[in-house]
Amino acid sequence: MKSISVSIMPLPDVMLVGTHRNYVIGELFTDCGISTNVPEERQIFNLVLPPWQRPEKWDEARKIKFIEGIFLGLGTGYRVQNGMDWDESGQSLPMSGWLIDGQQRVSAIRDFVFGKFCVFEDVFYEKMDRKTQLRRFLRVPFPCVELEYTADENVLVELYNRLAFGGVPHEESEIAKPFFL
């Protein structure tokens, strides 16, 4: 019997390590004491975006599809945030709570709630009764991976680049269509 030599290839450490939090959409509206620290940061609801994060890219049609998917029970995906931390005076530390992944989904939620578009041709958030808003939207899970707070911006940039640029958008000709029609 031949002996097979196996060399162990070193793998890098796991990058996405943090606490998995089971938030719901409605928690985007609660004040968590985090605010921008420098003028280049932007804020969506209670989330701060890093200054190097690209601007919003989703067009209205993509935002509508995402929100309709929430109502159809298809979920929200998850978002990734740097941990939150504060100094002795209660001011948030630099990079605290930065939204590393999820900007497009959060901005779609914001635009729907603020009445910038409707879904299913005539359903506006503000015209839904409160019970429907709560049951079908605000209490829908929007999980988060919250990293341990880090002030190492290089770590956050590397994670952002891997999360944000991993997917390749479909061309129109690549979108799945029924086969037997």
Side-chain angles (χ1 to χ4, degrees):
M1 179 180 248
K2 283 187 171 180
S3 111
I4 299 175
S5 126
V6 177
S7 64
I8 298 184
M9 298 176 59
L11 290 171
D13 290 337
V14 174
M15 290 183 74
L16 190 56
V17 176
T19 302
H20 291 257
R21 304 213 182 268
N22 293 316
Y23 294 126
V24 295
I25 290 173
E27 289 176 287
L28 292 171
F29 309 104
T30 59
D31 182 14
C32 64
I34 297 294
S35 58
T36 58
N37 285 308
V38 295
E40 294 80 12
E41 291 175 331
R42 295 170 288 137
Q43 194 160 355
I44 302 176
F45 294 130
N46 61 10
L47 303 171
V48 176
L49 302 171
W52 34 259
Q53 193 169 120
R54 71 180 180 172
E56 293 176 24
K57 292 293 184 185
W58 281 9
D59 61 14
E60 187 174 276
R62 187 172 293 219
K63 290 179 180 185
I64 289 169
K65 288 288 186 196
F66 173 71
I67 299 298
E68 288 178 346
I70 291 172
F71 285 108
L72 294 170
L74 303 178
T76 59
Y78 66 91
R79 62 186 194 271
V80 177
Q81 290 175 232
N82 191 19
M84 296 182 273
D85 206 353
W86 298 265
D87 64 19
E88 298 77 33
S89 68
Q91 291 291 97
S92 59
L93 293 176
M95 297 175 259
S96 190
W98 271 3
L99 180 65
I100 305 303
D101 186 52
Q103 174 192 188
Q104 307 306 323
R105 286 166 277 151
V106 172
S107 64
I109 291 167
R110 176 205 59 210
D111 290 354
F112 176 63
V113 168
F114 290 167
K116 293 191 176 181
F117 60 82
C118 66
V119 293
F120 303 112
E121 297 184 19
D122 63 352
V123 177
F124 286 91
Y125 177 81
E126 66 271 10
K127 292 187 179 179
M128 287 189 281
D129 62 77
R130 185 66 177 158
K131 186 168 87 173
T132 302
Q133 287 176 344
L134 288 167
R135 286 187 178 163
R136 298 287 307 275
F137 193 71
L138 296 175
R139 291 188 180 155
V140 169
F142 194 2
C144 175
V145 176
E146 186 177 308
L147 310 169
E148 284 292 318
Y149 172 78
T150 181
D152 186 342
E153 190 171 9
N154 291 321
V155 168
L156 299 174
V157 166
E158 174 69 13
L159 182 58
Y160 167 78
N161 283 332
R162 290 193 177 266
L163 290 170
F165 300 109
V168 176
H170 286 73
E171 298 293 330
E172 184 64 33
S173 64
E174 298 171 323
I175 295 175
K177 295 175 177 59
F179 182 77
F180 292 105
L181 288 182

